[in-house]
């Protein structure tokens, strides 16, 4: 039961509520997620089970892909459909060609202002709590990257699009910025995450199926072993001598590891035994080997 499970989160539940339900289903085992997904959104949510919760940090900075629906002409305080309308404008003069041209301008690197209604914290308090109490805090703009942005369907004033972006990108802020650029405003009407850190929606299991007692085997059969879950991390197979050193946390040198190819580029390399069990994650910066995470038997 040590591994990662990809949940298809339903709309209407917070990430914390999903974790709580999984934890109850798994008899109280430790469960954690690798990044929040807004309650009104659905889709891929990576959950780490038991000892795999130590791996959560390795998934925090991976890219993500979404299917989103932008509604032009209406702005809200939260930049999405859950907020209060703050402004409205006609979209009569906006053409489909203008929308396509506008979206193309948002590809690549850019600075994005995080929304004041977000889970980011200011002095330990989530921004959304401060905003709801009438004390909104605007965090500084930060660099994000959008590698793909494609219109899937257009029925103005609504625009459905596919986007692939870096971690930390807010799709509702993207929608608000697109609306602002077009001169009519806009907000995020619907959002579905279809990929996160290399995990695709096709690998997911619906939450209701995962926690249904009548299909209890579903969740255990969907758990991805820890070594396999670190799919984008270079791998080194340890022999019995090295495995003994690693599991006891003994100091290692570059002579203990004959790293080749991608494993030499760092910063991380996963060490597995001959049965493909994850033993440790090492840092290999500047030819210095350090333990980042150890799984003792």
């Amino acid at each position: 039961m040590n591994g990662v499970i990809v949940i298809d989160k339903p709309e209407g539940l917070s990430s914390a509520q999903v974790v709580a339900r999984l934890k109850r289903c798994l008899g109280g085992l430790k469960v954690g997620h690798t990044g929040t997904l807004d309650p009104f959104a659905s889709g891929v949510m990576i959950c780490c089970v038991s000892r795999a919760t130590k791996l959560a940090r390795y998934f925090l900075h991976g890219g993500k892909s979404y299917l989103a629906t932008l509604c032009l002409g209406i702005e809200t305080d939260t930049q999405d459909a859950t907020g209060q309308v703050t402004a409205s404008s006609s979209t009569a003069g906006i053409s489909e060609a203008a929308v396509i041209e506008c979206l193309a301008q948002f590809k690549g690197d850019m600075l994005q202002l995080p929304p004041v209604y977000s889970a980011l914290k200011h002095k330990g308090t989530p921004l959304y709590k401060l905003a709801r109490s009438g004390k909104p805090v605007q965090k500084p703009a930060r660099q994000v990257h959008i590698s793909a942005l494609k219109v899937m369907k257009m029925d103005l004033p609504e625009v459905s699009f596919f986007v692939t972006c870096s971690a930390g990108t807010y799709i509702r802020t993207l929608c608000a910025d697109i609306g602002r650029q077009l001169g009519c405003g806009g907000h995020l009407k619907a959002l579905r995450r279809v990929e996160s850190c290399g995990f695709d929606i096709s690998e997911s299991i619906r939450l209701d199926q995962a926690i249904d007692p009548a299909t209890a085997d579903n969740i255990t059969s969907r758990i991805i072993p820890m070594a396999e879950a670190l799919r984008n991390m270079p791998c080194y197979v340890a022999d019995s001598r090295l495995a003994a050193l690693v599991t006891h946390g003994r100091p290692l040198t570059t002579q203990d590891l004959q790293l080749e190819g991608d494993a030499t580029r760092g910063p991380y390399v996963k060490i597995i035994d001959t049965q493909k069990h994850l033993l440790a994650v090492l840092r290999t910066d500047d030819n210095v080997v350090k333990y980042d995470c150890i799984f003792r038997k």
Side-chain angles (χ1 to χ4, degrees):
M1 296 297 287
N2 301 302
V4 164
I5 183 166
V6 184
I7 295 293
D8 183 351
K9 188 189 88 66
E11 297 177 12
L13 289 181
S14 69
S15 300
Q17 288 173 318
V18 171
V19 166
R21 295 188 184 190
L22 279 178
K23 189 173 182 179
R24 286 197 299 270
C25 173
L26 294 170
L29 287 178
K30 185 182 291 186
V31 179
H33 62 75
T34 65
T36 58
L37 186 58
D38 287 342
F40 91 102
S42 67
V44 171
M45 183 173 162
I46 304 170
C47 295
C48 300
V49 179
S50 196
R51 300 178 80 188
T53 53
K54 295 172 69 175
L55 303 180
R57 64 182 181 273
Y58 301 116
F59 303 114
L60 294 176
H61 304 295
K64 298 172 174 63
S65 295
Y66 299 89
L67 292 173
T69 300
L70 160 65
C71 180
L72 293 171
I74 299 175
E75 297 178 81
T76 71
D77 55 0
T78 60
Q79 301 179 334
D80 61 32
T82 68
Q84 299 295 315
V85 174
T86 58
S88 60
S89 178
S90 172
T91 60
I94 297 174
S95 66
E96 293 188 359
V99 173
I100 293 172
E101 181 181 352
C102 180
L103 262 66
Q105 298 174 25
F106 284 86
K107 287 184 62 177
D109 294 324
M110 66 177 183
L111 290 174
Q112 186 183 71
L113 283 170
V116 294
Y117 284 88
S118 71
L120 295 177
K121 293 184 177 181
H122 176 71
K123 297 181 179 179
T125 303
L127 295 189
Y128 66 84
K129 289 187 176 181
L130 294 172
R132 288 172 183 169
S133 66
K135 301 175 182 177
V137 173
Q138 178 63 70
K139 289 285 188 178
R142 54 188 184 179
Q143 188 88 9
V144 298
H145 180 80
I146 295 178
S147 55
L149 187 57
K150 179 182 178 182
V151 172
M152 305 300 291
K153 179 182 178 182
M154 202 177 315
D155 186 12
L156 294 176
E158 293 187 4
V159 181
S160 296
F161 62 90
F162 170 83
V163 58
T164 297
C165 55
S166 62
T169 304
Y170 285 91
I171 306 304
R172 48 200 167 104
T173 300
L174 173 64
C175 287
D177 289 344
I178 291 171
R180 191 175 300 112
Q181 182 79 3
L182 287 168
C184 62
H187 70 275
L188 176 64
K189 182 178 180 180
L191 183 67
R192 181 163 176 77
R193 184 189 287 166
V194 294
E195 190 271 338
S196 179
C197 305
F199 294 91
D200 189 78
I201 191 68
S202 62
E203 301 176 79
S204 69
I205 180 172
R206 293 204 326 258
L207 180 63
D208 61 338
Q209 294 176 329
I211 64 177
D212 186 351
T215 56
D217 291 340
N218 280 345
I219 190 166
T220 55
S221 66
R222 292 300 192 99
I223 290 183
I224 303 168
M226 294 191 293
E228 184 182 337
L230 295 173
R231 53 185 56 170
N232 295 321
M233 188 179 291
C235 179
Y236 187 87
V237 181
D239 59 20
S240 57
R241 182 194 68 85
L242 179 58
L245 292 175
V246 170
T247 54
H248 290 90
R250 304 299 187 196
L252 300 175
T253 67
T254 53
Q255 283 69 43
D256 294 308
L257 302 171
Q258 301 301 315
L259 300 180
E260 299 177 352
D262 291 341
T264 63
R265 301 190 185 106
Y268 300 111
V269 59
K270 61 184 176 186
I271 307 298
I272 65 173
D273 62 18
T274 53
Q275 285 76 47
K276 299 183 179 180
H277 297 137
L278 183 64
L279 303 179
V281 174
L282 306 179
R283 288 191 68 99
T284 58
D285 301 304
D286 301 321
N287 293 319
V288 176
V289 179
K290 296 180 180 179
Y291 288 100
D292 199 69
C293 188
I294 302 177
F295 295 92
R296 291 185 171 88
K297 293 183 179 179

